Amino acid sequence: MLTERQLEVVLSVVYEYIKSGESVGSRTLSRRYLTGHSSATIRNEMSDLEEMGYLKQPHTSAGRIPTTQGYRLYVDTVLQRRESLTPSVDWTKLLRDHREGIEGALESATEILSKISNYVGIAAITTIDDIKFQKVDFVRMGERVVLLLVVLNGGLVHQKIINLPWDMSQDALDDLSRRVNFFAGSSWNEVKQSIMEYIMGELSSYKNSCEVALKELEGVILTPSVKVFTGSKSHMFNLPDFQDLSKIQALFSFLEEERSITDLISSCSIDGMNVLIGEENEILEMKNSSLVATTSISNGQKALIGVIGPDRMDYENVISAIDKVLQVLGLDSEGEFK
Amino acid sequence: MLTERQLEVVLSVVYEYIKSGESVGSRTLSRRYLTGHSSATIRNEMSDLEEMGYLKQPHTSAGRIPTTQGYRLYVDTVLQRRESLTPSVDWTKLLRDHREGIEGALESATEILSKISNYVGIAAITTIDDIKFQKVDFVRMGERVVLLLVVLNGGLVHQKIINLPWDMSQDALDDLSRRVNFFAGSSWNEVKQSIMEYIMGELSSYKNSCEVALKELEGVILTPSVKVFTGSKSHMFNLPDFQDLSKIQALFSFLEEERSITDLISSCSIDGMNVLIGEENEILEMKNSSLVATTSISNGQKALIGVIGPDRMDYENVISAIDKVLQVLGLDSEGEFK
DNA sequence: GTTAGCACTCACACCACAAGAGTGCTAATA
DNA sequence: TATTAGCACTCTTGTGGTGTGAGTGCTAAC
């Protein structure tokens, strides 16, 4: 168990290291944070804390930097003490005019988070079980080629090109759409049966094509799909943590793979603020980086908004920034549009 | 005017420099390319060519590297010698062949180009004058909130959230959609008048809201919009041209701004293969980079597919890669490519 | 016009050296 | 017993000198 003073040493090292980016020496601490103690005393404490796993030295005879465990202690303390701070930025203004629907809103959110955190904002939205559709549209693009548009309940729009075995006129397709849309808001399993009956009856001349169309529709609705958004990234080059080409390349190629981001996201199991620090991440490319993100579920969709940055991240600011963005988006309360 | 031998020197320097990435000396040339001449002779030629602006020295007493003018000579020679492959591409076919519509097809194209060229594939599609719509849909998302979906003639899908002054039921919205869709395929100016009349008559109870809705629709249809896609980029870190952090940051932040890419694209005026080398680019961040891209117009849309890389780019490969990608996208009717 | 020869230049890698920051340890101190 | 001052030691970083190799420019000979 840590003494009060030891805790203070760890927190000070983390705080100072986050601020400066350089390893923290005993003298700095004794002058700025623990003014009542000499550097020698603190040196002894630091030595003990290194043995306990909270601090480490980048090389012999350098100052100390936090380990993942040290960051963890800091973050847990911060999260415990957290009070919603007053925003220094006019968020509402930034997000008010997201005219591009939920996807546009998430994209704006990542952009804002990138800007104010100086790290990389990310967001994702995925459908979870028993999603309902709000509107379906079949648009004839050419002979036997149809564009399928599906608006899901939360406002997500999916599009897919499908090929039919037999050509259908736009009128016939409209007929089909109308029939399907009659069930808008019901869950797919309820819908399926009655539509099939209808096809067998009134639309039987297009039976094959309709079956294909509905099969595709079912695929779009039932297949859980993820959409990922990332904010601007190029300012990461300026961080001292990424002066090394290979490090920043690792991060960038990681962020480029949608697949790897969805993996990362799936490790956010807590319903609320998730903080994954450095080595706590399963994924190799993230061992040097951290993820702070909140998840929230509404309308059959799970959304995630967060920030990826170096493990030497300004967790306190990032956490409150995410809080504020969520608040403005209204995602923490209801997934409805205002 | 250049002598035969001078031309050969320039082309050899460009070729060798593209291959090796290091400045090319007179001895290398005399041994590998112009075996009939001594290094001293070539030194003299190089000195002349430097004065003429085709070559330059990174520093005194180093070998020569091409100037923009040198690259230009090389590219023009290559382009002249190339057997012209399928020059025009039917973009509409692209759409049919890909599961995710034209946007998905373009995205795949950038991914493929990134992979096979080792630079960055880019693509863009933009509407040009008098675009026609194929289908319009108004979907009620909440009180006075409507999702507007527009499918343009080429298969581009636009979505936008609009706010109405008065609430409209989904039935009323369907009514409106149906009426608008009656004119699918006509140009907007023809449509506008008759729809307005209809609103004034039969839909007059929703007059205000309908006017707003149509105004927004008009905006979506008439405002020229650009969609930009970029392929994977992180392999660019491996190029010797971007070992400098500041250079690669410049490129990445450039590629991150959709705005700047559209600017770049608009400078591709030739209908066919455009090559913009280094300083030929208007844009500051591209002075060190080059763009190779083809444009083509069909269905009221202008599409572009190309590659961005360092000015020391393997133009020959890139040009044939783009040719090939276009060919595959245009000819393969089953549409699955990897 | 072409070539051999030679002096010169510059980038780069290597080394030694000094300065500075910070540690660990020991002995003195409250 | 806990704390502190003092000191030797370690390691990074920056700097200047030096040697090497690649390549040029120039001149004189072919």
Side-chain angles (χ1 to χ4, degrees):
Chain A
M1 197 45 208
L2 291 179
T3 65
E4 186 67 28
R5 194 172 66 191
Q6 284 175 323
L7 178 66
E8 210 169 336
V9 169
V10 175
L11 297 186
S12 303
V13 169
V14 177
Y15 181 82
E16 179 65 23
Y17 181 60
I18 283 176
K19 242 183 31 179
S20 72
E22 274 162 19
S23 61
V24 184
S26 54
R27 216 175 111 72
T28 313
L29 250 50
S30 92
R31 269 188 316 178
R32 283 192 223 162
Y33 299 93
L34 298 103
T35 41
H37 306 270
S38 80
S39 65
T41 311
I42 293 170
R43 262 204 299 285
N44 291 330
E45 295 284 31
M46 286 169 110
S47 184
D48 293 349
L49 286 166
E50 178 161 9
E51 207 158 311
M52 290 190 236
Y54 291 97
L55 302 177
K56 69 182 171 189
Q57 285 181 295
H59 55 264
T60 352
S61 85
R64 300 302 204 293
I65 62 175
T67 61
T68 294
Q69 191 183 337
Y71 282 122
R72 168 55 59 196
L73 180 61
Y74 177 81
V75 168
D76 287 345
T77 313
V78 166
L79 279 177
Q80 224 164 36
R81 291 182 189 162
R82 162 165 82 127
E83 295 274 334
S84 39
L85 304 164
T86 46
S88 50
V89 191
D90 187 0
W91 305 90
T92 12
K93 202 172 192 176
L94 290 167
L95 273 173
R96 187 169 30 186
D97 35 19
H98 50 83
R99 305 199 138 262
E100 314 296 326
I102 182 105
E103 304 183 29
L106 289 178
E107 196 161 0
S108 310
T110 63
E111 217 46 72
I112 293 167
L113 280 173
S114 277
K115 196 161 286 171
I116 61 164
S117 74
N118 275 315
Y119 306 121
V120 181
I122 66 164
I125 186 160
T126 172
T127 55
I128 49 181
D129 47 31
D130 201 34
I131 181 72
K132 289 147 189 158
F133 69 90
Q134 183 128 4
K135 184 99 184 192
V136 169
D137 210 343
F138 295 98
V139 184
R140 188 177 180 281
M141 300 303 297
E143 202 181 316
R144 296 200 311 259
V145 181
V146 168
L147 172 65
L148 165 59
L149 284 175
V150 183
V151 182
L152 298 179
N153 241 13
L156 265 184
V157 178
H158 284 265
Q159 49 176 299
K160 188 171 187 183
I161 293 286
I162 59 183
N163 297 292
L164 300 181
W166 302 102
D167 199 27
M168 286 177 74
S169 70
Q170 184 63 57
D171 282 345
L173 288 169
D174 283 344
D175 228 34
L176 180 61
S177 318
R178 210 169 305 132
R179 188 70 192 181
V180 173
N181 282 323
F182 182 73
F183 294 97
S186 317
S187 83
W188 177 252
N189 284 330
E190 297 175 36
V191 181
K192 200 174 171 183
Q193 192 55 38
S194 28
I195 289 184
M196 278 305 185
E197 278 167 17
Y198 169 75
I199 291 175
M200 296 307 182
E202 297 182 42
L203 264 178
S204 60
S205 47
Y206 292 118
K207 186 167 156 271
N208 280 340
S209 284
C210 284
E211 270 172 0
V212 169
L214 288 177
K215 191 94 191 162
E216 296 275 9
L217 175 59
E218 183 175 70
V220 170
I221 292 176
L222 295 187
T223 308
S225 73
V226 190
K227 294 212 180 186
V228 175
F229 308 87
T230 58
S232 60
K233 309 186 257 284
S234 57
H235 51 277
M236 299 286 277
F237 283 92
N238 299 323
L239 293 179
D241 313 74
F242 293 110
Q243 289 310 77
D244 189 359
L245 259 181
S246 66
K247 274 190 189 147
I248 196 163
Q249 176 171 20
L251 182 65
F252 270 65
S253 57
F254 172 77
L255 288 173
E256 218 164 61
E257 287 284 328
E258 194 155 303
R259 168 83 211 187
S260 49
I261 297 185
T262 59
D263 281 356
L264 181 64
I265 284 167
S266 64
S267 52
C268 290
S269 45
I270 306 168
D271 188 24
M273 191 67 73
N274 289 261
V275 182
L276 287 172
I277 303 167
E279 294 156 355
E280 293 175 2
N281 284 292
E282 305 274 319
I283 300 147
L284 185 68
E285 288 91 339
M286 285 288 292
K287 294 286 183 200
N288 267 327
S289 308
S290 289
L291 168 74
V292 181
T294 55
T295 59
S296 77
I297 295 178
S298 75
N299 253 335
Q301 295 169 120
K302 180 180 174 186
L304 175 143
I305 292 187
V307 167
I308 288 179
D311 50 6
R312 185 187 76 84
M313 183 193 270
D314 190 341
Y315 294 95
E316 206 166 350
N317 268 342
V318 166
I319 288 171
S320 77
I322 294 174
D323 271 347
K324 284 295 174 289
V325 168
L326 284 181
Q327 209 175 325
V328 172
L329 276 177
L331 275 180
D332 52 354
S333 49
E334 279 172 84
E336 285 290 316
F337 294 97
K338 299 158 292 189
Chain B
M1 199 46 208
L2 291 180
T3 66
E4 187 67 30
R5 194 171 67 189
Q6 285 176 324
L7 178 65
E8 210 169 334
V9 170
V10 175
L11 296 186
S12 304
V13 169
V14 177
Y15 181 82
E16 179 65 23
Y17 182 61
I18 283 176
K19 240 181 33 178
S20 71
E22 273 161 22
S23 62
V24 184
S26 55
R27 215 173 110 74
T28 313
L29 286 188
S30 93
R31 270 188 315 178
R32 284 192 224 161
Y33 299 94
L34 297 105
T35 41
H37 305 271
S38 80
S39 65
T41 311
I42 293 170
R43 260 201 305 282
N44 290 331
E45 295 286 29
M46 286 170 110
S47 184
D48 292 350
L49 286 166
E50 177 160 11
E51 208 158 310
M52 292 189 235
Y54 291 97
L55 301 176
K56 68 182 172 190
Q57 285 181 294
H59 56 263
T60 352
S61 84
R64 300 302 204 296
I65 62 176
T67 59
T68 294
Q69 191 182 337
Y71 283 122
R72 168 55 59 197
L73 181 61
Y74 177 82
V75 168
D76 287 346
T77 313
V78 167
L79 279 178
Q80 223 164 36
R81 290 182 189 162
R82 136 183 109 119
E83 326 124 30
S84 66
L85 302 163
T86 54
S88 76
V89 179
D90 185 2
W91 295 102
T92 43
K93 200 158 189 191
L94 243 176
L95 145 77
R96 283 178 209 163
D97 296 346
H98 199 273
R99 292 289 172 79
E100 313 295 326
I102 187 141
E103 305 182 29
L106 289 178
E107 195 162 0
S108 306
T110 62
E111 217 48 69
I112 293 167
L113 280 173
S114 277
K115 197 161 285 170
I116 62 176
S117 73
N118 276 317
Y119 306 121
V120 181
I122 66 164
I125 185 160
T126 170
T127 56
I128 50 181
D129 48 31
D130 201 34
I131 181 73
K132 289 148 190 158
F133 70 90
Q134 183 126 4
K135 184 99 184 192
V136 170
D137 210 343
F138 295 98
V139 184
R140 188 179 181 278
M141 301 302 297
E143 202 181 316
R144 296 200 311 259
V145 181
V146 168
L147 172 64
L148 165 60
L149 284 175
V150 183
V151 182
L152 298 179
N153 241 13
L156 267 183
V157 178
H158 284 266
Q159 51 177 297
K160 187 170 186 185
I161 293 285
I162 59 182
N163 298 292
L164 300 181
W166 302 102
D167 199 26
M168 286 177 74
S169 70
Q170 184 63 57
D171 282 345
L173 288 169
D174 283 346
D175 227 34
L176 180 61
S177 319
R178 210 170 303 133
R179 189 70 193 185
V180 173
N181 282 323
F182 182 74
F183 295 97
S186 316
S187 83
W188 178 251
N189 284 330
E190 296 175 37
V191 181
K192 200 174 171 184
Q193 192 56 38
S194 30
I195 289 183
M196 278 307 184
E197 277 168 19
Y198 169 74
I199 290 175
M200 294 310 182
E202 297 182 45
L203 263 178
S204 61
S205 46
Y206 292 118
K207 183 168 158 271
N208 280 338
S209 283
C210 285
E211 270 173 0
V212 169
L214 289 176
K215 192 94 192 165
E216 297 276 9
L217 174 59
E218 183 175 70
V220 169
I221 292 176
L222 294 186
T223 308
S225 74
V226 189
K227 294 212 181 188
V228 174
F229 308 88
T230 59
S232 60
K233 310 186 258 283
S234 58
H235 51 277
M236 298 286 277
F237 283 93
N238 299 324
L239 293 179
D241 313 75
F242 292 109
Q243 289 308 76
D244 190 358
L245 258 182
S246 65
K247 272 188 191 150
I248 196 162
Q249 175 171 23
L251 182 64
F252 270 65
S253 57
F254 172 77
L255 288 173
E256 217 163 61
E257 287 284 328
E258 194 156 302
R259 169 81 212 190
S260 50
I261 296 185
T262 59
D263 282 356
L264 181 64
I265 284 167
S266 65
S267 52
C268 289
S269 45
I270 306 168
D271 188 24
M273 190 68 73
N274 289 262
V275 183
L276 287 172
I277 302 166
E279 293 155 355
E280 292 174 3
N281 285 292
E282 304 275 319
I283 299 147
L284 185 68
E285 289 91 340
M286 285 288 291
K287 294 286 181 199
N288 267 326
S289 307
S290 288
L291 168 74
V292 181
T294 55
T295 59
S296 100
I297 296 178
S298 78
N299 249 334
Q301 293 170 123
K302 180 181 176 186
L304 174 144
I305 291 187
V307 167
I308 288 179
D311 51 6
R312 185 187 76 85
M313 184 194 270
D314 190 342
Y315 294 95
E316 207 166 350
N317 268 343
V318 165
I319 288 171
S320 78
I322 294 175
D323 272 344
K324 229 165 264 173
V325 165
L326 289 183
Q327 206 176 346
V328 168
L329 291 185
L331 295 181
D332 184 271
S333 57
E334 240 46 67
E336 279 297 339
F337 33 55
K338 8 179 197 316

